[in-house]
Amino acid sequence: MSHVVKKMTNSEILKMKKELSSVLSAKTPPGAVFSAKLSDCTVTAYQSGKVLFQGKGAEAASEKYSGEVSVPKARSKTNKPPHQYAPPQNAAQLSMIGSDEVGTGDYFGPMTVAAAYVSRENLELVKELGVKDSKHLNDKQIIQIAKELIHTVPYSLLVLNNEKYNELQQKGMTQGKIKAILHNRALQNVKAKIEGEEIEGILVDQFCEPGVYFNYLTREKNLLKEGLYFATKGESIHLSVAAASILARYSFLAEMDKLGHRFNTVIPKGAGPHVDVKAAELVEKYGETVFDTATKKHFANTQKALKLLSKKRSQ
């Protein structure tokens, strides 16, 4: 999990708190001014003036706010050495398959995993389409670029709907294992599509240590391991991961729209208090089956929504 620490003034912190008012957490750590839960990042501001951005989207979220990035110099001495699956220095220039996932931190909606192949010859073309880290793109840009990408690069897109996700989770499968299985299958699909092409590497946007990833897949009949690399912030290392991220996000947005049409309302992203309110509203109208068919039921939001609904009914 990546993190960024910024030093901010009291007025900057209060301004940020106001901007994040819709996703503020009910509980805050000792010494904190506020804590907010975004879709892929938690933001915690402390009375000392330090603001901690923690999670996959920490860097992108921190860039939206003023303040000075604080990185202790001594930190570099304790950094772990690169693991044996680190991508080569020239990875950006190679023909690679990349994979990424979206929706893991969102209470509503599915988990979507995509893999895409970008050859050396297509690197410039993919750049021209505007492909870059999806966290720096808004939803409108994601949709526009994805519609071009699907006709430009070989890809595989897997959507794990909420019912199946909850079924697997209730059987004891962790989210990490689910992600590993979907990444492996999406990568296998793309590799099969481009049989005969010279693949110079396969890059997984790292969500766990390589050893843990392979342990998750011990029962998979087809395990893709040869030429496999892992790296956090994979979108900045090779365009194939950035392309996969955009396609996964595009699919997630489409699925969220379908949920909205189904319930005749706008379904919120993320996992903050605003999500609890919407979940309580939907359960009151459609019953508790909503938890099984539209949410990641094991999230704490389920109990929070039930408490809101109970409180409303007792009034």
Side-chain angles (χ1 to χ4, degrees):
M1 180 182 289
S2 60
H3 72 276
V4 175
V5 178
K6 276 195 167 184
K7 184 71 175 177
M8 302 177 73
T9 65
N10 185 53
S11 60
E12 288 171 337
I13 288 175
L14 292 177
K15 181 180 179 182
M16 186 194 302
K17 182 180 181 180
K18 185 177 181 181
E19 290 178 6
L20 298 176
S21 59
S22 64
V23 291
L24 291 177
S25 300
K27 295 182 179 179
T28 57
V33 178
F34 74 85
S35 183
K37 178 69 176 177
L38 307 180
S39 61
D40 56 0
C41 173
T42 298
V43 182
T44 307
Y46 293 90
Q47 294 170 3
S48 64
K50 287 186 177 180
V51 181
L52 173 63
F53 298 82
Q54 194 170 23
K56 190 175 180 181
E59 186 173 1
S62 69
E63 291 175 355
K64 297 178 183 178
Y65 301 98
S66 55
E68 183 180 351
V69 176
S70 174
V71 182
K73 292 182 179 180
R75 183 84 177 178
S76 62
K77 295 180 182 180
T78 59
N79 282 345
K80 293 181 179 179
H83 52 67
Q84 62 176 314
Y85 294 99
Q89 292 294 319
N90 66 334
Q93 285 78 49
L94 303 180
S95 296
M96 300 187 78
I97 304 174
S99 62
D100 201 0
E101 82 285 333
V102 171
T104 58
D106 293 270
Y107 180 58
F108 284 108
M111 181 189 296
T112 59
V113 176
Y117 172 67
V118 180
S119 65
R120 288 173 179 253
E121 294 75 22
N122 270 350
L123 287 170
E124 287 304 317
L125 173 59
V126 170
K127 280 183 185 177
E128 286 297 317
L129 293 178
V131 173
K132 57 182 178 180
D133 187 346
S134 64
K135 298 177 191 65
H136 299 302
L137 299 168
N138 59 41
D139 290 348
K140 184 177 180 181
Q141 291 171 316
I142 291 281
I143 294 169
Q144 182 180 355
I145 295 170
K147 286 181 177 180
E148 295 291 335
L149 265 181
I150 59 177
H151 301 296
T152 307
V153 300
Y155 71 95
S156 173
L157 181 60
L158 303 178
V159 178
L160 184 67
N161 65 42
N162 291 106
E163 285 182 292
K164 186 63 177 178
Y165 175 92
N166 289 323
E167 179 187 328
L168 293 174
Q169 196 278 329
Q170 286 163 14
K171 288 180 179 178
M173 192 176 290
T174 65
Q175 191 179 84
K177 184 169 184 175
I178 294 171
K179 283 194 283 187
I181 291 172
L182 294 177
H183 272 262
N184 182 60
R185 292 180 183 176
L187 291 167
Q188 292 271 18
N189 291 343
V190 174
K191 190 176 180 183
K193 285 183 179 182
I194 59 174
E195 189 175 357
E197 288 271 355
E198 184 184 357
I199 304 169
E200 297 174 285
I202 299 168
L203 181 59
V204 176
D205 190 55
Q206 186 173 332
F207 54 87
C208 65
E209 290 298 315
V212 175
Y213 175 88
F214 293 125
N215 283 338
Y216 283 146
L217 300 173
T218 51
R219 293 189 178 182
E220 285 291 288
K221 292 181 180 179
N222 298 308
L223 173 57
L224 191 59
K225 193 170 184 179
E226 184 180 352
L228 201 63
Y229 301 111
F230 295 86
T232 55
K233 301 177 186 175
E235 302 97 328
S236 63
I237 294 174
H238 197 273
L239 287 174
S240 61
V241 178
S245 179
I246 288 171
L247 292 171
R249 181 71 179 172
Y250 171 62
S251 175
F252 178 77
L253 292 172
E255 294 297 324
M256 289 291 276
D257 282 345
K258 289 178 186 177
L259 273 183
H261 287 306
R262 185 167 127 204
F263 295 114
N264 196 32
T265 187
V266 175
I267 302 296
K269 303 178 186 70
H274 63 301
V275 170
D276 304 335
V277 173
K278 179 59 68 172
E281 174 190 314
L282 293 178
V283 170
E284 182 178 30
K285 189 173 183 180
Y286 299 101
E288 291 191 22
T289 55
V290 167
F291 291 133
D292 296 297
T293 62
T295 76
K296 298 177 182 68
K297 193 175 180 179
H298 65 106
F299 278 29
N301 303 84
T302 297
Q303 293 305 315
K304 292 176 181 178
L306 287 172
K307 285 180 181 178
L308 287 174
L309 191 55
S310 177
K311 184 177 179 180
K312 182 178 178 180
R313 287 171 174 170
S314 65
Q315 290 176 345

